[in-house]
Amino acid sequence: MKKFLGTAVLACVLAGCAQTAKEALFNGKDLSNWNFAVEGDIPADRVYSVQDGEILIQGSPVGYMYTKEKYGNCTLEVEWRWVDEPTNSGIFLLIADPANPFPNGIECQLHAGDAGDFVLLGGSEMAEYVLPEGMETRPRFPVVKKRGESSEKAAGEWNRARIIILDGQITVYINDVLQNVGTSPVKEGHIGLQSEGKRIAFRNINISK
């Protein structure tokens, strides 16, 4: 009986490890797991490339790269840094419709000073969004502001976003600081990295289910 229990416990532990194993969304070599959207007629490889094991996004023209697969309940970890100066970008979540240049999905804002804000793209919804006082119509890009002061690092230093998605609820940590929680009616979608502003680099893009 003791031997059986020991084997059962070990099996449960191994099963738990399998369920939480990380999957690399970027292999450090190429962008074969991603699709691309670019505003205008610019070839995607002029905007999105791999250099020294990092994804380099030019920031202009506007667009985004997104996973070929859709993801639901998961934990997403992404590292990013500004290459030249603090600028603008975002991590797109729960993309339902990968339209160009802005999808229907939730953006975890990476704009300098605002990392952790939610931006509702393409008509997407979030339960926590409240129309600002004095406004009668919904803006094109509604925002659910982050909870606290910026926890970002200086240009050139690596930042880390940890994003937990559970039944449409999105919880965002920036450099291990809880910054936002929001609830989307969409529970599964593509993940994207935005081109907007100037150059930004990404690495260590991992997901666990």
Side-chain angles (χ1 to χ4, degrees):
M1 177 63 73
K2 288 183 179 179
K3 182 178 180 181
F4 174 79
L5 289 175
T7 302
V9 170
L10 178 60
C12 289
V13 170
L14 292 176
C17 291
Q19 290 174 355
T20 58
K22 290 184 180 181
E23 173 190 348
L25 298 184
F26 169 52
N27 61 20
K29 299 177 181 179
D30 58 47
L31 302 177
S32 56
N33 293 333
W34 301 78
N35 292 325
F36 308 94
V38 182
E39 187 175 44
D41 298 324
I42 305 298
D45 59 7
R46 294 188 185 179
V47 183
Y48 315 98
S49 62
V50 176
Q51 296 186 18
D52 300 322
E54 303 171 8
I55 297 174
L56 180 63
I57 299 180
Q58 296 299 320
S60 179
V62 171
Y64 59 102
M65 51 185 284
Y66 61 99
T67 56
K68 292 181 177 180
E69 293 187 30
K70 291 184 176 181
Y71 297 90
N73 293 350
C74 63
T75 297
L76 173 68
E77 296 177 332
V78 180
E79 292 183 357
W80 85 94
R81 67 177 176 90
W82 305 122
V83 176
D84 305 305
E85 60 186 90
T87 179
N88 195 9
S89 185
I91 301 169
F92 293 171
L93 308 163
L94 299 176
I95 296 174
D97 175 20
N100 187 359
F102 293 102
N104 180 297
I106 304 298
E107 176 184 356
C108 172
Q109 179 69 272
L110 298 185
H111 179 273
D114 298 318
D117 285 0
F118 290 129
V119 183
L120 313 188
L121 303 173
S124 62
E125 301 288 346
M126 187 162 266
E128 290 74 11
Y129 176 70
V130 177
L131 192 68
E133 187 175 351
M135 293 190 67
E136 297 182 358
T137 59
R138 171 179 157 134
R140 183 184 180 192
F141 299 113
V143 175
V144 177
K145 292 294 295 181
K146 60 187 175 63
R147 297 185 171 191
E149 297 296 325
S150 171
S151 53
E152 304 161 45
K153 297 181 181 180
E157 297 184 39
W158 286 100
N159 295 275
R160 178 173 175 265
R162 182 163 62 94
I163 301 170
I164 302 167
I165 301 175
L166 181 61
D167 295 331
Q169 184 180 78
I170 304 171
T171 303
V172 174
Y173 294 83
I174 303 296
N175 295 321
D176 297 320
V177 176
L178 175 63
Q179 287 290 8
N180 221 338
V181 179
T183 310
S184 167
V186 177
K187 295 179 171 56
E188 182 182 69
H190 304 280
I191 293 168
L193 304 175
Q194 189 186 30
S195 172
E196 183 180 19
K198 297 184 180 179
R199 296 196 300 169
I200 185 173
F202 292 92
R203 70 178 186 184
N204 294 334
I205 305 169
N206 298 305
I207 196 166
S208 55
K209 301 177 184 179

